[in-house]
Amino acid sequence: MWKLKIAEGGPLVKTCNGYVGRETWEFDERLGSSGDHAEVEKARKEFHLNRHQKKQSSDLLARMQLAKENNFDYFKKPSKNGDNTEKSASVALQKALDYFSAIQAKDGHWPGDLPGPLFLTPIMVIVLYVTESFHVLSSAHRTELRRYMYNLQNEDGGWGLQAEMPSCMICTALNYTALRLLGEEDYKGDDEAMHEARKWIHDHGGITMIASWGKLILSVLGVYEWSGVNPMPPELFLLPSFFPIHPGKFFCRIRLILVAMLYLYGKRFVGPITNVVLSLREELHIHPYHRIDWNQARDLCAKEDRFVPHSKFMDYLNEYLYKIGEPLFATWPMSLLRQKALNAIEKYLQYEDEITRYICMGAFEKFLRTLCCSVRAPNSKNLEEHLARVPDFLWIGEDGMKMRASSSQSWDAALAVQAILACDLAKEKMYTLRKAHDFIKASQLLENPTGDFGRYYRHFSKGGWAFATADEGWPVSDCTAEALKALLLLARISPELVGEHASSGSMYEAVNFILSLQNPNGGFSTWELQRTYPWVEALNVTDMFADTMVEYQYVECTSSAIQALLLFNEKYPLYRSDDIQKCIKKATSYVLKSQNDDGSWFGSWGVCYTYGTWFGVEALIAAGKTYKTCEAIRRACAFLLSKQLPDGGWGESYLSSIKQEYTNLVGNKSNLVNTAWAMLTLLKAGQVERDPTPLHRAASLLIHMQSDNGDFPQQEMTGSFMKSGFLNYMAYRNIFPIWALGEYNKISGISHTM
């Protein structure tokens, strides 16, 4: 049976704070009672049987374990809520808080899955295979990895970019490949799933049609040729750092991916050509391998993979580099320049590995860097340190084991604290709040990256909070702002109840970090300031994602910063007060300018307009504007009210992000997270005084969606990035209904008839 381990280290695993927030899974067949095993198997069977109707797992294995450790009866069936919504809101909140407290980890955070793109898990398998590191995966790991891939396969035989999305070439080809490397045969599998997957690949043109990132990964494996990959010259890294197209100017997420790709392209590394690899060459292509025109294959891409077409400039540049640049850099003396570039990239990658303690920012970067480390230093301690952090990304649910896109410990904990504090019942959960308080305090970054971090294109980090853990070491503006808000709100409670508060000095450092990420237009970026120009998007090589090359500004980050800085200024009015007021003025102007004509705001990190509009309205109200005085708030409320569904909820599809227009879920289904975001917006904007009926209807929906044990159902994905990438935050289904019902329940004088 699998066991979730919290805040534990291991050989070669370094930490800055005692491993706080670390989550790893361990298999021991001796663990668990027969009843525990039966419940796990029941959950697995139910997910498998319903996998085409209910695409997202409910993260049951972790939640059942945590509830048991906290002496909570996960399967209890309390009485149903009453008919009166005002009374029921209190009952629902009590149940929800009891449940949510029961799934808190011992170190104070809320562990959970964060499933992302379905190419991540197979890329991990391919990298471990190529680096001959399969020993990291036990037979139990491999069984669960296969379970996951089969469970996420679509009915047409392919795999989508995310669980709810239609099949695409990159995810289908890579999942098929990973299953073969894990021992599955090409002609059979679970209900002939391998046959169906291979048929999908062939029907869509074979793997020469795979997106650019897939071309690179399969070239490393040896089932595709490097001559079929568009040029990625490592010499780009040697450009003067002030050049707009120097990698150090790019959005850090793409920079960390691209620099590793530049290195692999420059090395033309290919792993061992095994019998399985040779077989895959036959299985994945529709033409004999030796007859494929690799020059033509460079620009092929299935329509299912291509969200962002190449610019004409990119096409011309690729032709020039392929026909002139690459032959030139392959000959002496230009080959010396290539070697110099590769040496410089090695130093950069080594620095990033060390200061992130070999965790890296996300799963894709993690395994590209593991691969690069193996290429430059096979059988080294550095490679072993990378492999020691593989468990940090592995997560198991009733759907199987997968590679999480990242983890979100700090982000979730900061939001959870605010949600609990929004409830009148929060005083009953002081033990929960105290643990969360200690976790947030322990997760703040107390130092800057070592050495000359500016030389390695890093922003300073002292005072910030990362999205995941302090060990990861990449602080984010809104993660820092939300953590600071949580600590400031907790500071209103006596130390006897929540523990010693964070020092004023640590809060000052947090404010310094937040202020440092405001751009000239007033908006806030995520990890860094914007460093280059929007026209650099013409170099987008992902095929699959938009807005990848530039660190933009976002209403979400800007709103979080406004709220945190104003809350801080109330408590510490003497510290940088002028700077804060100037910042708020510019940030508020940015928020107003970024509103859409229909009254909404686009959410870049959540699905989508309900998310962005919540942040937009919160920012304006925090800055002192009201429904009566601000046309933008009135238009935002009108927008949300126009989208309320007949059942009282809101349900926004991921297609809103892709189409960039509000799109309901299929069948006008409500989503409880979207509903909670809309409720929070309307409550903050004073909808109660105008007409509370929409709020009553929304609250009633949330209450009746609650499970008997206090949990809420896992529904569609609600996290997003780069317009076509999506995540599913498991804690959102608890945090936001609690928050919305807490704010709703505090309203006095509401009466209505159900």
Side-chain angles (χ1 to χ4, degrees), residues 227-241:
S227 56
V229 178
N230 273 317
M232 297 183 182
E235 293 77 16
L236 193 65
F237 202 70
L238 296 180
L239 290 172
S241 60

Side-chain angles (χ1 to χ4, degrees), residues 85 679 692-701 744 750-754:
T85 299
M679 278 185 69
T693 303
L695 295 170
H696 295 324
R697 295 172 60 219
S700 180
L701 177 75
Y744 173 84
I750 296 182
S751 62
H752 76 290
T753 302
M754 285 290 291

Side-chain angles (χ1 to χ4, degrees), residues 2-10 13 21-27 65 109 111 141 388-396 401 404 409:
W2 290 94
K3 179 179 176 60
L4 177 62
K5 300 167 66 178
I6 299 296
E8 294 189 22
V13 178
R22 190 175 191 229
E23 306 162 342
T24 56
W25 287 89
E26 179 180 77
F27 181 78
Q65 177 191 316
H109 82 282
H141 284 89
R389 283 293 191 174
V390 170
D392 293 59
F393 286 89
L394 293 173
W395 192 265
I396 188 164
M401 177 169 279
R404 288 185 294 178
Q409 294 94 319

Side-chain angles (χ1 to χ4, degrees), residues 161 165 210-213 230 254 298-312 314-315 318 534-549 552 657-660 721-725:
L161 190 58
M165 300 176 75
I210 198 169
S212 58
W213 285 1
N230 273 317
I254 201 67
R298 287 185 300 118
D299 291 319
L300 296 178
C301 184
K303 62 181 176 61
E304 293 83 0
D305 283 19
R306 180 158 282 171
F307 178 65
V308 179
H310 284 181
S311 65
K312 289 292 184 183
M314 194 67 188
D315 289 336
N318 284 334
W535 61 259
V536 175
E537 290 294 347
L539 299 177
N540 185 345
V541 297
T542 68
D543 294 320
M544 301 173 291
F545 304 115
D547 294 348
T548 63
M549 306 300 289
Y552 293 102
S657 298
I658 293 176
K659 296 178 178 180
Q660 297 181 55
F721 63 95
M722 297 178 182
K723 291 192 169 66
S724 60

Side-chain angles (χ1 to χ4, degrees), residues 504-547:
S504 58
S506 65
M507 293 193 181
Y508 294 167
E509 295 291 356
V511 167
N512 293 341
F513 177 78
I514 294 170
L515 289 172
S516 74
L517 287 173
Q518 186 175 37
N519 290 273
N521 68 351
F524 278 78
S525 309
T526 49
W527 288 272
E528 301 168 339
L529 291 166
Q530 182 173 330
R531 297 179 174 183
T532 191
Y533 306 100
W535 61 259
V536 175
E537 290 294 347
L539 299 177
N540 185 345
V541 297
T542 68
D543 294 320
M544 301 173 291
F545 304 115
D547 294 348

